[in-house]
Amino acid sequence: MQQLIRGIHQFQTEDFRPLATLFEQLAERQSPETLFITCSDSRIDPNLLTRSRPGDLFILRNAGNIIPLAGGTTSGEVATIEYAVGALGVKDIIVCGHTHCGAMKGLLHPESLTELPAVAGWLEHAATTRRIVTDHYGHLPEDRKLVAAIEENVLVQLEHLRTLPVVASRLRRGDLHLHGWVYKIETGEVFAYDLETQAFVAIAEHAVNGDAEGARRRAATGI
Amino acid sequence: MQQLIRGIHQFQTEDFRPLATLFEQLAERQSPETLFITCSDSRIDPNLLTRSRPGDLFILRNAGNIIPLAGGTTSGEVATIEYAVGALGVKDIIVCGHTHCGAMKGLLHPESLTELPAVAGWLEHAATTRRIVTDHYGHLPEDRKLVAAIEENVLVQLEHLRTLPVVASRLRRGDLHLHGWVYKIETGEVFAYDLETQAFVAIAEHAVNGDAEGARRRAATGI
Amino acid sequence: MQQLIRGIHQFQTEDFRPLATLFEQLAERQSPETLFITCSDSRIDPNLLTRSRPGDLFILRNAGNIIPLAGGTTSGEVATIEYAVGALGVKDIIVCGHTHCGAMKGLLHPESLTELPAVAGWLEHAATTRRIVTDHYGHLPEDRKLVAAIEENVLVQLEHLRTLPVVASRLRRGDLHLHGWVYKIETGEVFAYDLETQAFVAIAEHAVNGDAEGARRRAATGI
Amino acid sequence: MQQLIRGIHQFQTEDFRPLATLFEQLAERQSPETLFITCSDSRIDPNLLTRSRPGDLFILRNAGNIIPLAGGTTSGEVATIEYAVGALGVKDIIVCGHTHCGAMKGLLHPESLTELPAVAGWLEHAATTRRIVTDHYGHLPEDRKLVAAIEENVLVQLEHLRTLPVVASRLRRGDLHLHGWVYKIETGEVFAYDLETQAFVAIAEHAVNGDAEGARRRAATGI
Amino acid sequence: MQQLIRGIHQFQTEDFRPLATLFEQLAERQSPETLFITCSDSRIDPNLLTRSRPGDLFILRNAGNIIPLAGGTTSGEVATIEYAVGALGVKDIIVCGHTHCGAMKGLLHPESLTELPAVAGWLEHAATTRRIVTDHYGHLPEDRKLVAAIEENVLVQLEHLRTLPVVASRLRRGDLHLHGWVYKIETGEVFAYDLETQAFVAIAEHAVNGDAEGARRRAATGI
Amino acid sequence: MQQLIRGIHQFQTEDFRPLATLFEQLAERQSPETLFITCSDSRIDPNLLTRSRPGDLFILRNAGNIIPLAGGTTSGEVATIEYAVGALGVKDIIVCGHTHCGAMKGLLHPESLTELPAVAGWLEHAATTRRIVTDHYGHLPEDRKLVAAIEENVLVQLEHLRTLPVVASRLRRGDLHLHGWVYKIETGEVFAYDLETQAFVAIAEHAVNGDAEGARRRAATGI
Ligand SMILES: [Zn+2]
Ligand SMILES: [Zn+2]
Ligand SMILES: [Zn+2]
Ligand SMILES: [Zn+2]
Ligand SMILES: [Zn+2]
Ligand SMILES: [Zn+2]
C-alpha cells in the first residue's frame, strides 16, 4: 500500500505534467474507439501491451474475461458492453484471454473450487468452453488442454457477445467488429483468431487480422 | 485498430525486453497484494496512476465500479473478489471512483437511459447511492451533486464488499484492509476516504491514509 | 371439448389400427432424428405440413418459437433442447416461425400487452429481434415490418440455440445441423434461410437447403 | 431431412388444396377453443389423436409437460398460457402426460441426468411429483412407480396452472375448465382424471369427463 | 426503546418465574402443533388472540401474510414452512389476514408505492389477488373492495401453500390441515373460511371450522 | 386446533374488553416505533418478553431471523423492512436471535438438511455467519460453536440490513437505530450487542445499550 501511495506521488510530480493537456481534454468527454475485455489477472496491462494512452481503451475486466449471456439477471458485463457500444459508439470489441489463466484452470478442475463457491458459480458462464474441451480435447496433456480452454473460451465469449441486442444490431450494420485475442505472458506475444485458417495466429505489424465475427471454430492450435 | 496493432509491435520490439525476466517469473505465478476495483472509463489507467508494474494489481473493472450484493445470481464481481481474496490472498482492496463518471451521471438521470436498458438495470446495484444523494444532497447544484454521487457510491460499494463471506471473515482477522478512493481526471489527484474527518482527502506521500473499513459517512466534501 | 372426445373415439376405432405396429415399436423407445421448434399457434401442425409420422419429430412449442439464452434460470426450452440433442441425439434442429404470428405482433406493439404481463416479460427473450427491426426496418409499412420481425426472430433464436453447451459442442463435431424456416399459413409454403443468398427461399423438392449454422444475416426478403 | 423436404412437397401438392379455404380463413385470425399442453415426445401427435384440424388446438409442448410456477423468472410456459387464456380466450386447458415418458423416468432417476444439467434443473418444477411418488408409491415396482409419476405429475402441473392470475380469475368466473389426461402410446387410449372416483379413467365417447379443477388426489390407478 | 428495556426487566422479574419450568422444558426442544402465518402489522398478536403459550405456535410474519410460489429463488417463507412441516411436523397451518391491512391497500393502489419499490415488487406475489379483485369486485366501494382483497388474498396464499412439495405430499396423507382466517382488529373477531358456504364465518367456540384445503372460492362476504 | 378456537373465544369474552378502546384507535392507524425481527421459533413471544401492547411492535419473523441482501429477487424481508422504515417511520430495528435455534443448528450441520432443500437454500443468506464460525470458532466445542453462530448471525444480518437503500439513507440522517439482541430461552435473559466491549451483554434496566450500527465484531462471549 505504501508503495502505491509513493507511486501516486511520483505520477503526480513526474508523469502527469506531460499528460496534463490530454487529461484536461479528456475531462470534457471520453471517446474511446475500442472496448477491451480481458481477465483481472495482475500480469495483464492492456495499455502497456498496446501502448495505448488514456482515453483510448474502454476496459472491462473480470476473472476469466467472461461475458454472461443476457438471459438472466442484468450483469455488469452486459451493462458495460451496452454502454460502450450504445452510448460511446466503440467500433471494435476485443476479447483477450491469456496463458496461465487461473480461471481457466479452475474451469478444468472444478474440484479445486470447493472453497470458492462464487468462482464456481461464475464459471458456469463458461460451461460451453468446458463442454467443448471435454468433448474435443480430452486426449491432450494437461498444458495443451489449458491452452485449448483459453482459446476456445475466447471464441465462446465472442458468441455470447453476439447475442446482445445492441451488438447484434450493430453487427448487422457492419460498423462494429469483434476480435478474439490471446496474450502470451511469457513472450509478450499476442495471438488473434484468424477466420481463414480458423486458428489463433501471432499479430504482426504488417498483417492486421480481420474480425472474428462469423468465427466457425475447427482448429485451435496457434499458441 | 491499426494503431493497436502497431502498439503491440512496438511493445514487443521495445518495451518487452527490459521486462522479460519479470514476465518469465510472473508466468510461473502471480501474487498481487492489491485488488483494484475501478470504472471501465477509458481515462483511468490504474497502473499508470499508481506506477505499478505487471503483477502488482489484480484489477476488476466495470461501468461505475459497482459491486453487486451477493444475494442474487453469482456475479462476475463477487467471483472476482472471492478469487482475489480467497485464492490469491490480497491484503488490500481499493474501490476507486472518478470524476465525470458517465455511470454516475446515468444514476442521477435515469431518463437518459431509455435506450440502455441493461445499464439501467445494472445501476440498481447503486440504488442506495441514488437514495442517499436524493435524500441528503438534493439541494446542491448539478455538478456538486455528481461529485457527491461519486463519493457516496464508493462508500456504498465498500459496504457491499463487506457483506461477502470471504471478505467479512478476513476483516475479522484484521489482515484485509478496504480503501475508498476517488480519482480526479483533470488534475491527476487521488482522494482517499479518511475515517477521522469522514471526508475524502488528497493522498499525500507522507500521510498514508488508514483503511475505510468502519466507515461511518457524514460528510463528502473533499473534491 | 365434446368434439375432442369424439375425435379420440374415432382415432381409436379408425386410425389407430393401421398404426398399431408402429406404436407398439415406439412404446419401446423413440428415436426421432429431428427437433422441431415452432410457435404454439393453432394453425401450425408440424406433422401435417411435413407429412411426418409418430416418432419422427421431437416437438417444442411455445408462443413465438423463442429460445431463452441459457444464462438465467433453467428454462423448459433449454432443457428440452438438451434432452433432444444430448439424450436422443437428434441430427437436425428446425426453428420454424410463421406468418401472422401473434407473439411477433406483440413484440412490435408492446403497448398491446399491458393486460398480458407474462407475455411481455417472455418477449424480452426476443429483444434482439425488436432492436434489429427498429434499427433496420423502421421505415417499412406495418405488414412488411411484421414479416421482417418473423424472419429475423428465427435467425435470432438460432443464435440463442448456438450458445447451448451441448449444441455448441455438437456443431463443432459437424454432426448437428440448424435450420431456419418460416411457414406461410395462407399458402402452405415453407421458406428456409439460405446462407448463400442470405435470404429465406421457398423449399422445393429438388433443392434441399443447407443448414443455417453460420448464418450472417443481411437480407430478409423472401416471403 | 431429405424426407421432411419431400413431405413438405407432398403436403403442398396433395394435402393443402382441400384445406386451402380453411387456411385462408385462418390467416385472418385463429380462435382455438382449447389449449393442449403435452410432452415434446415424438410419439404424441395431439392433432392426430383428437382428430383436430388446423385452428382447433393451441399447443404448448416441452419435455415432461411441465408448467413452472409463476413465482420466478417469466417462463415460456406461463407466457404461452397467459396468451391462450387472456388473449385468445380458450375455454379448456388439457394437460396431457403419456406412458413411457423419458422426463418422468429422469425425475425418478436423477443419477441418470449428470450429463444433462439443464434437464435436471428443469425437473425441479416437478419436485412435488417426485416427493409424492417417494412418499406414497415407494413400495411399488419400477414400472408401476413410473405410471404413478406420470399420473401424479399431470395433477401437480394442474395445481401449478391454477396459481396463474389469469387462470385463477377465470376459474372463479366458471368459464374455464381444466382437464388432466394421460395418453397410452401402446394402445392409443386416453385416460382422463375423474373427480368422482379420483382416478384416471379411459375416455369413452358417451361419457365426457368433467373437469379436474378441484382435484383432490387419493388414488391413481387407472392405467 | 427505553420502554422495551423496562418491559424486559419487568418480564424477567415478574412474568418469567411462573413460566420458568415451561421454558426449561422448551429449551430442550420445541414441538409446536401449528404454523401461524400472518402479517407483520403491529396490531396483531397471535399469542394474545389465541391465548397461546410459548411453544404452541411457530410463527411466520411478513407484510401482507404472503407466501411466494416455490418456482423462483428460495424465499424465507418457503423455507420456514418447509421447516415447520418437514422438521417439526406441525399438523395445522393457519394463514391469517386482517382488516385495515396496509399491504393490501398498497396492492389495490400501486401508485402509492413509488417510494417503496421493494414493497411493490413483493406484492407481485399477490398478483392473483389483485386480478381477482379487479375482475370480480371492481364495482364495489373502496372499503368493501379492501375487505374482498384481504379475504381473497388469504385464499390465494393458501393455494400457493398447496404447491410446496412437502405440503402437497402431507396433504395427500391427510395429516396436515390448512386454514384461512381473517382477524378483525376493531372487534377482536376471527373469521374462518368455510368450505360449505364458501364464505368467511366468525369462529365460535362450539363450531370448529373444517379445513380449507379444497377451497373453491365463490363468495367472500363474511366480514 | 380445538384449543386455539377455545383461546379465541376466551380472548373475545375476557381479554378484548379492556383493550377495546385501544383496538378501536388502532383500527384507524398503526404507528409502531420499533421493527422487531426474530426467528419463527415457537418459544419466542416478542410481545411477552418486552411487555409490549398491540400497536407497539411491527414484527418480522422467519426461520433464523435472516435478512437476505437486496441484490436478488425482492424478498418479503426486504419489502417488510422497507415498509416499516419508509412507510411507518420506525425509529429502531431490533434483530433478535435466540439460544437453541434450529436454523443455526442446520447452518452448522448442512448434512442434516438433505430432506429440507428449501431450508438449505435459505441458509445461504447466512453463508457469512457460517464462514466466520468456521474460520474463527472451529476449535470450540459444539455448544459454544452454536452460541457463536447465533451471536455472529445477528451481527451479519445487521450488516445486511445496513445495505438497504432506505435503511442506509436513514442511518446517515441519524434518526434510525439498529440493535442486535439474543434471547436466552432457558433464563428469559436478553443480551444486547455492546459497541464498547464488542460483546453481547445482558440488558439491565438502568443501562440502556446504545445501537450497534457501526458494530465491529471481535468478541462474542456474553451468553
Ligand atoms: Zn485469467
Ligand atoms: Zn465511470
Ligand atoms: Zn406465432
Ligand atoms: Zn414425455
Ligand atoms: Zn397487514
Ligand atoms: Zn431459531
Side-chain angles (χ1 to χ4, degrees), chain C residues 39-76:
Chain C
C39 187
S40 291
D41 194 290
S42 67
R43 297 164 291 189
I44 307 170
D45 180 344
N47 292 96
L48 171 67
L49 76 92
T50 60
R51 273 211 172 178
S52 298
R53 302 213 309 169
D56 288 350
L57 302 178
F58 198 74
I59 298 175
L60 171 61
R61 299 185 71 165
N62 62 39
N65 41 275
I66 285 169
I67 303 164
L69 287 162
T73 308
T74 299
S75 68

Coordinates of all heavy atoms in Angstrom, one line a residue, chain C residues 39-76:
Chain C
C39 N -44.0 -22.3 -33.1 CA -45.0 -21.5 -32.2 C -46.1 -22.4 -31.8 O -46.5 -23.4 -32.4 CB -45.5 -20.3 -33.1 SG -46.5 -19.1 -32.2
S40 N -46.8 -22.0 -30.7 CA -48.0 -22.7 -30.2 C -49.2 -22.5 -31.0 O -50.2 -23.1 -30.8 CB -48.3 -22.2 -28.8 OG -47.3 -22.7 -27.9
D41 N -49.1 -21.6 -32.0 CA -50.2 -21.2 -32.8 C -51.0 -22.4 -33.4 O -50.4 -23.3 -33.9 CB -49.6 -20.4 -34.0 CG -50.8 -19.6 -34.7 OD1 -51.6 -20.3 -35.4 OD2 -50.8 -18.4 -34.6
S42 N -52.3 -22.3 -33.2 CA -53.2 -23.4 -33.6 C -53.2 -23.8 -35.1 O -53.6 -24.8 -35.5 CB -54.6 -23.1 -33.1 OG -55.2 -22.0 -33.9
R43 N -52.7 -22.8 -35.9 CA -52.7 -23.0 -37.3 C -51.6 -23.8 -37.9 O -51.5 -24.2 -39.0 CB -52.8 -21.7 -38.0 CG -54.1 -20.9 -37.6 CD -54.0 -19.5 -38.0 NE -53.1 -18.7 -37.2 CZ -53.0 -17.4 -37.2 NH1 -53.8 -16.7 -37.9 NH2 -52.1 -16.8 -36.4
I44 N -50.6 -24.2 -37.0 CA -49.5 -24.9 -37.4 C -49.6 -26.4 -36.9 O -49.8 -26.6 -35.7 CB -48.2 -24.4 -36.8 CG1 -48.0 -22.9 -37.1 CG2 -46.9 -25.1 -37.3 CD1 -46.9 -22.2 -36.3
D45 N -49.5 -27.3 -37.8 CA -49.4 -28.7 -37.5 C -48.2 -29.3 -38.1 O -48.2 -29.7 -39.3 CB -50.7 -29.4 -38.0 CG -50.7 -30.9 -37.6 OD1 -49.6 -31.5 -37.2 OD2 -51.7 -31.5 -37.7
P46 N -47.1 -29.4 -37.3 CA -45.8 -29.8 -37.9 C -45.9 -31.2 -38.6 O -45.2 -31.4 -39.6 CB -44.9 -29.9 -36.6 CG -45.5 -29.0 -35.6 CD -47.0 -29.1 -35.9
N47 N -46.6 -32.1 -38.0 CA -46.7 -33.4 -38.6 C -47.4 -33.4 -39.9 O -47.1 -34.0 -40.9 CB -47.4 -34.4 -37.6 CG -46.6 -34.7 -36.4 OD1 -46.7 -34.1 -35.4 ND2 -45.6 -35.6 -36.5
L48 N -48.5 -32.5 -40.0 CA -49.2 -32.4 -41.2 C -48.4 -31.8 -42.3 O -48.3 -32.3 -43.4 CB -50.5 -31.5 -41.0 CG -51.3 -31.1 -42.2 CD1 -51.9 -32.3 -42.9 CD2 -52.3 -30.0 -41.9
L49 N -47.7 -30.7 -42.0 CA -47.0 -30.0 -43.1 C -45.7 -30.6 -43.5 O -45.2 -30.3 -44.6 CB -46.8 -28.5 -42.7 CG -45.7 -28.0 -41.7 CD1 -44.4 -27.7 -42.5 CD2 -46.2 -26.8 -41.0
T50 N -45.2 -31.6 -42.7 CA -44.0 -32.3 -43.2 C -44.4 -33.8 -43.5 O -43.5 -34.6 -43.8 CB -42.9 -32.3 -42.1 OG1 -43.4 -32.9 -40.9 CG2 -42.4 -30.9 -41.9
R51 N -45.7 -34.1 -43.3 CA -46.2 -35.4 -43.5 C -45.4 -36.4 -42.7 O -45.0 -37.5 -43.2 CB -46.1 -35.8 -45.0 CG -47.3 -35.4 -45.8 CD -47.5 -36.4 -46.9 NE -48.8 -36.2 -47.6 CZ -49.2 -36.9 -48.6 NH1 -48.4 -37.9 -49.1 NH2 -50.3 -36.7 -49.2
S52 N -45.1 -36.0 -41.5 CA -44.3 -36.9 -40.6 C -45.2 -37.9 -39.8 O -46.4 -37.6 -39.7 CB -43.5 -36.1 -39.6 OG -42.6 -35.2 -40.2
R53 N -44.6 -39.0 -39.4 CA -45.4 -39.9 -38.7 C -45.0 -39.9 -37.2 O -43.9 -39.4 -36.9 CB -45.1 -41.3 -39.2 CG -45.4 -41.5 -40.7 CD -45.9 -42.8 -41.1 NE -45.0 -43.8 -40.6 CZ -45.2 -45.2 -40.5 NH1 -46.4 -45.6 -41.0 NH2 -44.4 -46.0 -40.1
P54 N -45.8 -40.4 -36.3 CA -45.4 -40.5 -34.9 C -44.0 -41.1 -34.8 O -43.7 -42.1 -35.5 CB -46.5 -41.4 -34.3 CG -47.7 -41.2 -35.1 CD -47.1 -41.0 -36.5
G55 N -43.2 -40.5 -34.0 CA -41.8 -41.0 -33.8 C -40.8 -40.2 -34.6 O -39.6 -40.3 -34.4
D56 N -41.3 -39.4 -35.6 CA -40.3 -38.7 -36.4 C -39.8 -37.3 -35.9 O -38.6 -37.0 -36.0 CB -41.0 -38.3 -37.8 CG -41.1 -39.6 -38.7 OD1 -40.6 -40.6 -38.3 OD2 -41.9 -39.5 -39.7
L57 N -40.7 -36.6 -35.3 CA -40.4 -35.2 -34.8 C -40.5 -35.1 -33.3 O -41.5 -35.3 -32.7 CB -41.3 -34.2 -35.5 CG -41.3 -34.1 -37.0 CD1 -42.3 -33.0 -37.4 CD2 -39.9 -33.8 -37.6
F58 N -39.4 -34.6 -32.7 CA -39.5 -34.2 -31.3 C -39.9 -32.8 -31.3 O -39.2 -32.0 -32.0 CB -38.1 -34.4 -30.6 CG -38.1 -34.4 -29.1 CD1 -38.6 -35.5 -28.4 CD2 -37.6 -33.3 -28.4 CE1 -38.6 -35.5 -27.0 CE2 -37.6 -33.3 -27.0 CZ -38.1 -34.4 -26.3
I59 N -40.9 -32.4 -30.7 CA -41.5 -31.0 -30.9 C -41.6 -30.2 -29.7 O -42.1 -30.5 -28.6 CB -43.0 -31.2 -31.5 CG1 -42.9 -32.0 -32.8 CG2 -43.6 -29.9 -31.7 CD1 -44.2 -32.3 -33.4
L60 N -41.0 -29.0 -29.8 CA -41.0 -28.0 -28.8 C -41.8 -26.8 -29.3 O -41.6 -26.2 -30.3 CB -39.6 -27.5 -28.5 CG -39.3 -26.3 -27.6 CD1 -39.9 -26.6 -26.2 CD2 -37.8 -26.0 -27.5
R61 N -42.9 -26.4 -28.5 CA -43.7 -25.3 -28.9 C -44.0 -24.3 -27.8 O -44.4 -24.7 -26.7 CB -45.1 -25.9 -29.4 CG -44.9 -26.8 -30.6 CD -46.2 -27.2 -31.2 NE -46.9 -26.2 -31.9 CZ -48.0 -26.4 -32.7 NH1 -48.4 -27.6 -32.9 NH2 -48.5 -25.3 -33.3
N62 N -43.9 -23.1 -28.1 CA -44.3 -22.0 -27.2 C -44.7 -20.8 -28.0 O -44.5 -20.8 -29.2 CB -43.2 -21.7 -26.2 CG -41.9 -21.1 -26.9 OD1 -42.0 -20.4 -27.9 ND2 -40.8 -21.6 -26.4
A63 N -45.2 -19.8 -27.4 CA -45.7 -18.6 -28.1 C -44.4 -17.9 -28.7 O -43.6 -17.4 -27.9 CB -46.4 -17.7 -27.1
G64 N -44.3 -17.9 -30.0 CA -43.3 -17.1 -30.6 C -42.0 -17.9 -31.0 O -41.0 -17.3 -31.4
N65 N -42.1 -19.2 -30.8 CA -40.9 -20.1 -31.1 C -39.6 -19.4 -30.6 O -38.7 -19.2 -31.4 CB -40.8 -20.5 -32.6 CG -41.1 -19.4 -33.6 OD1 -42.3 -19.2 -33.9 ND2 -40.1 -18.8 -34.0
I66 N -39.6 -19.2 -29.3 CA -38.5 -18.4 -28.7 C -37.6 -19.4 -27.9 O -38.1 -20.3 -27.3 CB -39.1 -17.3 -27.8 CG1 -39.6 -16.2 -28.7 CG2 -38.1 -16.8 -26.8 CD1 -40.4 -15.1 -28.0
I67 N -36.3 -19.1 -27.9 CA -35.4 -20.0 -27.1 C -34.6 -19.1 -26.2 O -33.6 -18.4 -26.6 CB -34.4 -20.7 -28.1 CG1 -35.2 -21.5 -29.1 CG2 -33.4 -21.6 -27.3 CD1 -34.4 -22.0 -30.3
P68 N -35.0 -19.0 -24.9 CA -34.2 -18.2 -24.0 C -32.8 -18.6 -23.9 O -32.4 -19.7 -24.1 CB -34.9 -18.5 -22.6 CG -36.2 -19.0 -22.9 CD -36.0 -19.8 -24.2
L69 N -31.9 -17.6 -23.8 CA -30.5 -17.8 -23.5 C -30.3 -18.6 -22.3 O -31.1 -18.5 -21.4 CB -29.7 -16.5 -23.5 CG -29.6 -15.8 -24.8 CD1 -29.2 -14.3 -24.6 CD2 -28.5 -16.5 -25.7
A70 N -29.2 -19.4 -22.2 CA -29.0 -20.3 -21.1 C -28.6 -19.6 -19.8 O -28.4 -20.2 -18.8 CB -28.1 -21.4 -21.4
G71 N -28.3 -18.2 -19.9 CA -27.7 -17.5 -18.8 C -28.5 -17.4 -17.6 O -28.0 -17.1 -16.5
G72 N -29.8 -17.6 -17.6 CA -30.7 -17.3 -16.5 C -31.1 -18.6 -15.8 O -30.4 -19.6 -15.8
T73 N -32.3 -18.6 -15.3 CA -32.9 -19.8 -14.7 C -33.1 -20.8 -15.8 O -33.3 -20.5 -17.0 CB -34.3 -19.4 -14.2 OG1 -34.2 -18.3 -13.3 CG2 -34.9 -20.6 -13.4
T74 N -33.0 -22.1 -15.5 CA -33.2 -23.1 -16.4 C -34.6 -23.0 -17.0 O -35.6 -23.1 -16.3 CB -33.0 -24.5 -15.8 OG1 -31.7 -24.6 -15.3 CG2 -33.2 -25.6 -16.9
S75 N -34.7 -22.9 -18.3 CA -36.0 -22.9 -19.0 C -36.3 -24.2 -19.5 O -35.5 -25.1 -19.8 CB -35.9 -21.8 -20.1 OG -35.1 -22.3 -21.1
G76 N -37.6 -24.4 -19.8 CA -38.1 -25.6 -20.4 C -37.5 -25.8 -21.8 O -37.3 -26.9 -22.2

